[in-house]
Amino acid sequence: MKKISLLMFGLIQTFAFSQTQDLATLASGQNIGMNALFDTKDNLYGYVSMYSLGKTDKKTQKFEYVLLDKNLNPVANKEFEANMIVGNYFGYVDFKGQIILQPYDFNVLQALSKGASMPVSMVIDPKTNTVKPKVYYDYQENGTFVEITQPKSFKEERKENRAEKKDKGYNYVSTVSEIKEGGYLAVELNDYGKYVNKNSIIRFDENKKQVWKYSYNTDGSKKVFSDLTVLERDENHLYGILRKVNDDDKTFSVLVLDMKTGKEVSNKPLTGLSPETIYNIDVLYSSGKKIDNDKTFDDKVLYLGRNYEKGDKGFARLMLDKKSYNVDLKTISYKPDLSAHIPKLSADGGVESGYFLQTKDVYFMSDGSVGILSEKFKPEGQYSAPKTTDLVYINTDKDFKVKDVQIFEKAKSKWVNSDYLFSQYLNDGKDVVFFFRDYQKDQVTKEKKWNLFINTVINGKFKQETIPISEKDNFVVTPFVAKEGYILLREYNEKEKFNKVRLERLNY
């Protein structure tokens, strides 16, 4: 194994720059993936490349991670053991600056049959290059904290839940998380199966002593209950939407709690949109995958969701003022707001020949304006493949009115859910660049090749650059997000054990 000396990311970025890196030579195992790491402000931190080193015994296997800075300099690596049901890990940076390796691609059915437990995340301290299993906390009904280093097996968990439900008539459910504001935050409830009640949010200090407790839905039942959607949290306040349901009657309010005392600071009615729109304002999906549909600024919180009026009729924007606690709700309809810019667009988002607009990404600016990137998509039929065609960028102003719409025509792709790749903010969040691919015919050779389209929106103006990324000599070229002003291209050939990544500067 090649040993990598540990240095601080910032130090390496100051004194060194590397435009290429061969992932295949960084560790002795098989490279099973790489993903970009972003800090809590959505700035690129670096990359983590994962390697499988094979089984150590019947129950465990070994992995190795390699950390690279955003200039592709390797800065740390380490081996660790994991549960056999884990297929891979995805890395992210937490509020402490630690790198968390979250397990995914694991076989739950295998775990159930063999009595295995849910695999835990691994925590990397980049300053010391140490890695250890993540410690979890459980808050119990009797008011005590329990530290969990090894979760119970699925079978044990299920057996205990059944016994508790038989004894009490409900399951006590709680989750605990360490928070950047200091200490811990727990949520608890009693789960009766068809309904829940006795919901609470509880804050604890660093010593796990209760600071405050906010309770709601105390006597919740099947038809009369309340629930809380947390929109944002900072060191001063927790902001959320409190829904109260009485059979078919649903009312909403914007609830603001003092993070130091847990007391209500504000509780203002929220009206103006359909109950379904308000209730689902915090989630936005594309092909079953959740889109990052919110952004927090110093003075406001922005969310983009669907506008539901007997079906999906467009978009809804929620803008919460963090000082006055007032909420501004605005909508854009497919028809007539967008149909004037997008040919053949129907009132439910359908376009020509069975395609519809599928939202792929959302971009928020500090003045409240929003960019919405969609793609024309046709789902898989009984005898037909899924297809995608043009991308559509909707640009709004600060009042959520349509400024302009840009349509990026591209060839039809089959058996894929999207040709959109990724995006990032530019110039301290004031502008945007997004990337998509297209399988185009070369005007000279008449051969079809994959091209990468780099699209910048700077000061509201569009600019496009094209880079060929088709397979060449059996090498697969895959684009990745990179530091601002660059793109990362991965060239891969499994037979030749070639797995290189390189940075290319963008022109904008």
Side-chain angles (χ1 to χ4, degrees):
M1 179 190 73
K2 184 175 179 180
K3 184 65 179 176
I4 300 170
S5 60
L6 174 70
L7 292 174
M8 293 294 290
F9 275 79
L11 188 63
I12 286 189
Q13 292 166 9
T14 302
F15 295 107
F17 179 74
S18 173
Q19 285 191 313
T20 63
Q21 191 58 253
D22 188 353
L23 300 180
T25 64
L26 294 181
S28 57
Q30 178 187 0
N31 181 253
I32 54 176
M34 181 185 80
N35 75 265
L37 301 169
F38 297 87
D39 64 21
T40 54
K41 295 183 179 179
D42 293 329
N43 298 315
L44 184 71
Y45 178 88
Y47 301 89
V48 58
S49 185
M50 295 301 306
Y51 299 83
S52 173
L53 304 181
K55 296 180 180 179
T56 53
D57 54 45
K58 291 183 179 180
K59 294 184 178 181
T60 59
Q61 59 180 320
K62 189 173 286 188
F63 291 91
E64 183 175 357
Y65 66 81
V66 176
L67 301 180
L68 300 98
D69 68 12
K70 57 187 177 183
N71 292 321
L72 300 184
N73 295 299
V75 294
N77 71 303
K78 198 105 176 181
E79 297 179 3
F80 64 93
E81 291 189 343
N83 192 309
M84 276 301 299
I85 67 171
V86 180
N88 206 338
Y89 287 87
F90 180 86
Y92 67 91
V93 182
D94 70 5
F95 68 88
K96 290 183 173 181
Q98 300 174 133
I99 297 167
I100 310 299
L101 299 181
Q102 187 173 17
Y104 75 99
D105 190 26
F106 50 86
N107 193 326
V108 176
L109 293 177
Q110 182 184 14
L112 287 170
S113 64
K114 295 186 177 182
S117 58
M118 180 70 75
V120 300
S121 296
M122 305 299 294
V123 181
I124 303 170
D125 184 343
K127 296 179 181 178
T128 59
N129 194 30
T130 55
V131 58
K132 59 183 180 181
K134 183 177 175 64
V135 175
Y136 297 85
Y137 296 96
D138 182 31
Y139 181 68
Q140 300 185 335
E141 195 170 8
N142 61 9
T144 59
F145 259 92
V146 176
E147 187 176 290
I148 301 172
T149 55
Q150 180 57 53
K152 297 173 184 176
S153 70
F154 291 99
K155 287 185 176 180
E156 289 174 324
E157 193 78 34
R158 187 168 53 180
K159 183 178 179 180
E160 289 185 8
N161 286 342
R162 286 175 176 174
E164 183 186 35
K165 184 74 174 290
K166 184 177 180 180
D167 179 44
K168 299 177 180 178
Y170 64 86
N171 286 124
Y172 174 79
V173 179
S174 70
T175 58
V176 179
S177 57
E178 193 172 4
I179 57 176
K180 62 182 179 181
E181 295 80 20
Y184 303 83
L185 204 66
V187 295
E188 65 174 359
L189 57 87
N190 290 346
D191 184 359
Y192 289 83
K194 295 185 178 180
Y195 66 96
V196 302
N197 61 27
K198 290 184 170 53
N199 298 64
S200 296
I201 300 177
I202 314 169
R203 185 173 183 182
F204 302 87
D205 63 16
E206 289 81 357
N207 298 316
K208 306 179 184 66
K209 291 183 179 180
Q210 182 175 312
V211 178
W212 54 260
K213 182 175 183 177
Y214 180 83
S215 298
Y216 61 99
N217 192 39
T218 306
D219 300 313
S221 61
K222 292 180 183 179
K223 293 187 176 182
V224 181
F225 61 90
S226 59
D227 50 37
L228 179 64
T229 299
V230 176
L231 298 177
E232 177 58 24
R233 191 188 68 237
D234 57 34
E235 62 181 7
N236 296 314
H237 299 107
L238 181 148
Y239 309 86
I241 297 177
L242 183 66
R243 180 179 70 150
K244 293 185 178 181
V245 178
N246 189 341
D247 207 353
D248 292 331
D249 183 35
K250 300 177 179 67
T251 60
F252 298 83
S253 62
V254 178
L255 177 68
V256 182
L257 301 181
D258 189 307
M259 277 295 287
K260 295 179 177 63
T261 65
K263 294 180 179 180
E264 286 191 12
V265 176
S266 179
N267 195 342
K268 296 181 180 180
L270 182 60
T271 59
L273 296 177
S274 69
E276 188 179 5
T277 299
I278 297 175
Y279 181 64
N280 292 287
I281 197 70
D282 65 317
V283 292
L284 189 62
Y285 287 95
S286 175
S287 297
K289 182 180 179 182
K290 191 176 184 300
I291 299 174
D292 187 7
N293 69 324
D294 68 290
K295 190 172 178 65
T296 299
F297 298 91
D298 291 338
D299 60 340
K300 66 176 72 73
V301 181
L302 291 170
Y303 271 84
L304 183 88
R306 303 283 184 199
N307 181 29
Y308 294 105
E309 290 286 349
K310 296 181 180 180
D312 176 17
K313 293 298 185 290
F315 302 98
R317 186 203 68 179
L318 178 149
M319 184 163 64
L320 169 64
D321 189 306
K322 295 175 70 175
K323 293 181 179 179
S324 68
Y325 317 129
N326 292 329
V327 169
D328 179 60
L329 293 171
K330 293 283 195 308
T331 62
I332 288 176
S333 299
Y334 294 126
K335 197 170 186 175
D337 297 331
L338 290 171
S339 58
H341 304 271
I342 305 171
K344 301 180 181 179
L345 181 65
S346 65
D348 60 357
V351 285
E352 68 277 357
S353 305
Y355 287 79
F356 69 93
L357 289 184
Q358 181 172 248
T359 306
K360 305 309 299 181
D361 218 334
V362 183
Y363 315 106
F364 299 95
M365 306 305 161
S366 58
D367 65 350
S369 59
V370 182
I372 306 169
L373 183 66
S374 297
E375 187 172 20
K376 295 180 181 179
F377 173 71
K378 188 173 185 178
E380 181 179 358
Q382 186 175 0
Y383 302 106
S384 61
K387 306 176 186 69
T388 66
T389 59
D390 308 339
L391 273 86
V392 178
Y393 189 96
I394 303 162
N395 199 18
T396 80
D397 63 15
K398 61 183 180 62
D399 296 315
F400 203 53
K401 294 184 182 298
V402 179
K403 285 176 59 178
D404 56 76
V405 176
Q406 186 83 13
I407 297 177
F408 299 90
E409 295 183 355
K410 64 179 181 65
K412 182 190 300 181
S413 293
K414 294 183 178 181
W415 295 111
V416 293
N417 289 327
S418 180
D419 282 327
Y420 167 69
L421 298 171
F422 49 82
S423 64
Q424 65 184 131
Y425 287 99
L426 300 174
N427 304 322
D428 295 323
K430 296 177 182 178
D431 303 304
V432 167
V433 58
F434 62 91
F435 303 79
F436 69 86
R437 63 177 190 167
D438 191 15
Y439 197 51
Q440 294 183 322
K441 181 181 289 188
D442 188 282
Q443 297 299 320
V444 178
T445 65
K446 305 302 180 183
E447 294 181 359
K448 280 194 170 185
K449 294 182 179 181
W450 283 107
N451 286 322
L452 174 69
F453 287 80
I454 304 164
N455 312 276
T456 54
V457 186
I458 299 177
N459 294 325
K461 296 182 180 180
F462 291 88
K463 183 181 177 182
Q464 190 177 80
E465 182 184 1
T466 307
I467 296 177
I469 56 169
S470 243
E471 287 189 20
K472 184 178 180 181
D473 300 326
N474 295 319
F475 286 85
V476 178
V477 181
T478 306
F480 278 84
V481 68
K483 63 181 181 178
E484 185 171 323
Y486 289 78
I487 187 171
L488 182 70
L489 297 177
R490 178 193 180 202
E491 295 179 319
Y492 178 75
N493 186 316
E494 185 177 3
K495 290 183 179 180
E496 298 181 28
K497 295 183 178 181
F498 184 90
N499 191 1
K500 285 191 175 182
V501 288
R502 73 176 191 270
L503 287 171
E504 295 283 353
R505 188 185 297 273
L506 305 178
N507 295 317
Y508 67 89

